[in-house]
Amino acid sequence: MWRKPTTLVWVEADDGEMTYVTSTVHGRVVILSETAATIWQCAERASTIGEIIGRLSAELDIDEDTIHDDVENCVTDLVIAGLLESEGNE
C-alpha cells in the first residue's frame, strides 16, 4: 500500500482537470493532471499496482495491458516526487 505523506496539502481545480499539491515541509507545488491525480487517489486505496490498474481499467474502460506501464511509471514518479510513500510494496 501507499499513503500520502501527512505534510501534503492539495486542492483540486474547479474544472477537475488539475490537482495542485504542495508540501508543508518543502513548499514546492506539483501540478497533477487529471489522470495522475486519479492514479494518486487510487494508490492510497490499493494494495498493489495490479489493483490500481484494475480499478482504472474498469473506471476508464481501458484494457489493463494498455495502461499497465503508464500507471506503474506514474506511481514510481509520485513516490520519487514525495507525493506517495510506499508501505512495503513496489
Side-chain angles (χ1 to χ4, degrees), residues 40-87:
W40 185 56
Q41 296 289 351
C42 262
E44 192 172 43
R45 299 183 312 267
S47 296
T48 65
I49 292 284
E51 194 174 328
I52 297 168
I53 292 167
R55 288 181 183 185
L56 289 174
S57 173
E59 184 177 320
L60 303 173
D61 195 28
I62 299 174
D63 181 68
E64 289 186 17
D65 291 336
T66 302
I67 62 172
H68 181 277
D69 290 346
D70 291 334
V71 171
E72 195 169 71
N73 291 335
C74 183
V75 170
T76 298
D77 290 346
L78 291 167
V79 170
I80 290 169
L83 303 183
L84 282 177
E85 295 175 341
S86 175
E87 292 185 337

Side-chain angles (χ1 to χ4, degrees), residues 3-4 8 11 15 20 22-23 26-27 30 35 38-39 44 48 58 63-64 66 68 75 79 81 90:
R3 68 171 183 254
K4 295 174 189 154
L8 296 182
V11 65
D15 60 10
Y20 301 88
T22 188
S23 167
H26 306 298
V30 177
T35 303
T38 300
I39 292 168
E44 192 172 43
T48 65
D63 181 68
E64 289 186 17
T66 302
H68 181 277
V75 170
V79 170
E90 296 298 322

